[in-house]
């Protein structure tokens, strides 16, 4: 509880700075006066001030109190400009996407391009102990093939957890997959044929585009607002104009813009697609990383006809290397199961067993509570340093969940060129061009906030800002 109190004080001070109520260089209220105004203890205010000082937002002056540092202004919000809806087109981004994916798992660069919790934020010891215990207790089961649908204990745990959040799921509904990407692959294979047109939001995760290209599908893009996600009105316009075979949407903390579609809009979109019998593939991988007190709803919660195929995984929360994902395929379960059987037969048995036991012991929710707090703090810190080091005219999203920031750089900055220059200096980023089939987002980049803030990360952000500034001047 104390953690949330000091975070509330911290947010209060940041909102005063952002609104201009506290100017750069101004003195902050005394510990006693702010504690009285907010109804918290003096020690809570002091803890918030020390955290803001650690982030470099404020500075303590001997016998004078705390003052706002002159470099503490955050960048303004990114805004997506309206663009005309283009015709469906084949996806042709694999070359550049492969260049970005080369750095996955690399230890020799500042990894601002890979979305995964840093090792410091994963329950390594707990999962290690559980995995070893499960293998010792049931070696034959651990070393053999898991059932094609998945480990039954894990399936049940996922079904129970889904029902807790209002997602309709029978105990035998989930299918276990090798990460969320396999779930997405199985979903698209189940509902589409080569040459079909699939509706996606723009920007969208570049691996979706790679998957569409591999399957020979065409894409039609609808804009994603950085705050409100996909508008039902935009989707309705696309459905009237084009022959859409399926939709692939990420309503909760979309990668890369971290947009959050309101629950009422989700309901409207599901109803709209249900009237036309159009399946909806839902990427639900970031929903657990919400910063607010309540978990956002999903498309699947409003699904009455089995047309929503929800896809998720534990890669962004506890164990990227385990590659344990799952799907709730609705009416397409049998088709997805057939494709799974001829793709990789089954997913890793020991990883499934360990995750099932981790969930059974009730460890996930405690871990998620801390992880959310850490990610929100990391985003705040990153935003402040971006404001110090990036050129004038830069904008950034202010997410309420997820693990990435979406930066809009001045028009003169080519994000692909910035990607290659940064890579040469040991810094990994994801250029905006790979998040769309169209020639958009050329001056955007995506930065990951998964790892704790370190001097190395600060130097990486400083390097990016310097390179972007040089491109502006040239």
């Amino acid at each position: 509880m104390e953690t949330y109190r000091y975070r509330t004080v911290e947010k209060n001070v940041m909102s005063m700075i952002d609104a201009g109520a506290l100017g750069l260089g101004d003195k902050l209220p005394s510990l006693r006066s702010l504690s009285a105004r907010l109804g918290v203890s003096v020690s809570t205010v002091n803890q918030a001030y020390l955290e803001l000082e650690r982030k470099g937002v404020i500075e303590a002056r001997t016998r004078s109190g705390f003052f706002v540092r002159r470099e503490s202004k955050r960048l303004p919000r990114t805004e997506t400009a309206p663009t005309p809806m283009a015709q469906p087109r084949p996806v042709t981004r694999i070359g550049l996407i492969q260049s970005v994916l080369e750095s996955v798992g690399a230890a020799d660069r500042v990894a601002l391009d890979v979305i995964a919790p840093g090792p410091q934020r994963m329950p390594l010891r707990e999962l290690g102990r559980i995995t070893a215990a499960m293998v010792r207790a049931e070696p034959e089961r651990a070393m053999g093939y898991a059932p094609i649908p998945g480990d039954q204990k894990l399936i049940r745990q996922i079904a129970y957890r889904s029902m807790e959040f209002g997602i309709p799921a029978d105990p035998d509904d989930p299918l276990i997959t090798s990460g969320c990407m396999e779930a997405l692959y199985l979903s698209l294979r189940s509902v589409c044929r080569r040459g079909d047109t699939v509706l996606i939001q723009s920007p969208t995760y570049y691996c979706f585009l790679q998957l569409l290209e591999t399957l020979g599908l065409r894409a039609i893009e609808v804009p994603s607002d950085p705050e409100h996600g996909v508008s039902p009105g935009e989707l309705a316009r696309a459905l009237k104009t084009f022959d859409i075979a399926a939709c692939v949407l990420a309503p909760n903390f979309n990668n890369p813009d971290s947009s959050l579609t309101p629950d009422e809009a989700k309901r409207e979109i599901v109803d709209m697609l249900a009237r036309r019998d159009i399946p909806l593939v839902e990427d639900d991988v970031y929903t657990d990383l919400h910063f607010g007190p309540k978990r956002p709803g999903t498309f699947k919660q409003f699904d009455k006809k089995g047309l929503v195929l929800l896809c998720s995984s534990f890669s962004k929360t506890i164990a990227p290397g385990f590659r344990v994902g799952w799907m709730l395929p609705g009416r397409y379960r049998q088709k997805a199961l057939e494709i799974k059987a001829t793709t990789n037969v089954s997913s890793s048995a020991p990883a499934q067993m360990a995750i099932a036991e981790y969930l059974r012991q009730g460890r996930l929710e405690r871990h998620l509570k801390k992880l959310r707090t850490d990610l929100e703090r990391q985003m705040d810190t990153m935003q402040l340093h971006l404001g110090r080091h990036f050129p004038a005219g830069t904008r950034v999203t202010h997410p309420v969940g997820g693990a990435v920031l979406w930066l809009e750089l001045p028009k003169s900055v080519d994000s692909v060129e910035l990607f290659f220059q940064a890579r040469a200096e040991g810094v990994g980023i994801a250029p905006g061009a790979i998040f769309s089939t169209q020639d958009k987002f050329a001056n955007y980049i995506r930065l990951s906030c998964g790892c704790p803030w370190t001097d190395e990360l600060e130097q990486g952000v400083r390097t990016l800002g310097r390179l972007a500034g040089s491109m502006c001047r040239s």
Side-chain angles (χ1 to χ4, degrees):
M1 182 64 70
E2 189 67 22
T3 298
Y4 289 112
R5 285 181 181 147
Y6 95 78
R7 286 289 292 159
T8 299
V9 176
E10 190 180 337
K11 290 179 181 179
N12 182 274
V13 173
M14 285 305 307
S15 65
M16 288 192 288
I17 295 172
D18 291 341
L22 278 174
L24 303 183
D26 284 357
K27 184 178 180 179
L28 271 68
S30 69
L31 299 180
R32 290 188 180 281
S33 64
L34 193 57
S35 72
R37 180 155 65 84
L38 298 180
V40 297
S41 68
V42 171
S43 64
T44 298
V45 178
N46 186 60
Q47 186 180 2
Y49 279 13
L50 291 176
E51 179 64 17
L52 288 167
E53 185 180 25
R54 186 190 69 81
K55 291 180 178 179
V57 179
I58 65 177
E59 58 187 2
R61 298 180 189 172
T62 306
R63 298 181 181 177
S64 298
F66 290 91
F67 293 78
V68 181
R69 287 187 58 179
R70 296 196 175 275
E71 310 89 3
S72 296
K73 195 71 173 178
R74 287 195 286 196
L75 295 171
R77 294 178 184 271
T78 297
E79 297 178 359
T80 299
T83 55
M85 193 174 296
Q87 291 293 317
R89 60 176 67 189
V91 184
T92 54
R93 288 288 191 272
I94 277 189
L96 184 55
I97 290 171
Q98 288 296 333
S99 296
V100 174
L101 289 174
E102 286 173 4
S103 65
V104 173
D108 60 345
R109 67 185 64 190
V110 181
L112 292 170
D113 51 344
V114 179
I115 308 176
Q120 310 90 331
R121 290 184 172 147
M122 291 186 286
L124 300 180
R125 292 183 180 177
E126 290 176 293
L127 275 176
R129 285 195 298 266
I130 289 172
T131 303
M134 299 301 293
V135 172
R136 283 196 303 268
E138 301 182 75
E140 293 183 1
R141 178 173 161 231
M143 295 299 107
Y145 285 116
I148 295 173
D151 181 270
Q152 192 60 39
K153 292 182 180 179
L154 178 57
I155 288 173
R156 292 295 175 91
Q157 288 294 331
I158 290 172
Y160 296 154
R161 191 165 186 269
S162 298
M163 288 186 281
E164 282 181 15
F165 297 122
I167 300 171
D170 290 334
D172 295 324
D173 278 354
L175 295 182
I176 307 303
T177 61
S178 299
C180 188
M181 279 306 300
E182 189 192 19
L184 293 163
Y185 170 80
L186 296 177
S187 296
L188 286 171
R189 282 280 310 276
S190 298
V191 302
C192 294
R193 294 179 297 178
R194 181 173 291 272
D196 280 349
T197 296
V198 176
L199 183 144
I200 59 175
Q201 63 200 96
S202 180
T204 194
Y205 181 34
Y206 56 80
C207 282
F208 292 173
L209 302 181
Q210 189 177 33
L211 186 55
L212 295 180
E213 184 170 358
T214 300
L215 295 176
L217 302 173
R218 298 165 67 85
I220 182 71
E221 299 186 17
V222 295
S224 173
D225 179 85
E227 291 191 50
H228 306 298
V230 173
S231 158
E234 290 284 354
L235 189 135
R237 188 160 67 93
L239 294 177
K240 290 178 181 177
T241 308
F242 305 105
D243 182 16
I244 306 294
C247 300
V248 181
L249 301 173
N252 297 330
F253 318 123
N254 172 50
N255 176 8
D257 65 1
S258 291
S259 59
L260 175 61
T261 303
D263 283 0
E264 191 51 47
K266 293 181 185 121
R267 184 196 302 273
E268 189 175 345
I269 287 170
V270 170
D271 290 345
M272 188 187 311
L273 295 175
R275 289 193 293 271
R276 296 168 172 81
D277 251 15
I278 297 175
L280 169 57
V281 179
E282 176 175 13
D283 176 21
D284 187 52
V285 76
Y286 296 106
T287 303
D288 279 326
L289 301 181
H290 58 93
F291 300 156
K294 183 181 178 183
R295 190 180 195 268
T298 63
F299 285 131
K300 189 66 176 175
Q301 284 176 231
F302 307 111
D303 180 25
K304 298 174 183 176
K305 298 179 67 175
L307 286 165
V308 176
L309 301 89
L310 182 142
C311 305
S312 193
S313 84
F314 297 102
S315 296
K316 309 304 181 186
T317 51
I318 56 175
F322 272 26
R323 308 303 302 137
V324 175
W326 75 91
M327 61 189 297
L328 297 175
R331 66 164 71 167
Y332 304 98
R333 188 179 190 279
Q334 186 57 40
K335 181 66 175 177
L337 190 59
E338 292 171 5
I339 299 170
K340 168 77 176 177
T342 57
T343 301
N344 65 359
V345 183
S346 64
S347 300
S348 166
Q352 293 185 62
M353 292 166 62
I355 294 288
E357 181 63 14
Y358 185 83
L359 294 177
R360 189 194 69 78
Q361 294 181 12
R363 296 174 181 269
L364 179 59
E365 297 309 320
R366 293 197 298 271
H367 166 70
L368 286 175
K369 185 176 180 180
K370 184 177 186 304
L371 179 61
R372 294 178 194 124
T373 300
D374 290 345
L375 287 175
E376 186 177 16
R377 182 184 299 123
Q378 172 78 353
M379 279 194 182
D380 285 346
T381 304
M382 180 88 77
Q383 286 171 333
L384 290 164
H385 284 270
L386 293 173
R388 289 175 192 165
H389 302 305
F390 273 66
T394 302
R395 293 176 174 269
V396 67
T397 50
H398 294 183
V400 293
V404 295
L405 293 174
W406 183 233
L407 270 71
E408 179 186 2
L409 301 167
K411 293 289 187 183
S412 56
V413 178
D414 182 337
S415 66
V416 175
E417 178 62 26
L418 180 61
F419 161 74
F420 285 110
Q421 288 189 21
R423 188 170 70 170
E425 299 206 23
V427 181
I429 62 171
I434 63 175
F435 295 94
S436 171
T437 65
Q438 303 172 25
D439 297 325
K440 300 192 296 186
F441 311 117
N443 58 315
Y444 286 72
I445 61 172
R446 188 202 69 188
L447 300 181
S448 168
C449 299
C451 296
W453 190 255
T454 61
D455 291 342
E456 183 184 34
L457 270 181
E458 181 176 6
Q459 184 56 46
V461 170
R462 189 189 302 271
T463 297
L464 286 176
R466 171 175 55 81
L467 294 173
S470 297
M471 295 175 78
C472 287
R473 290 190 293 275
S474 63

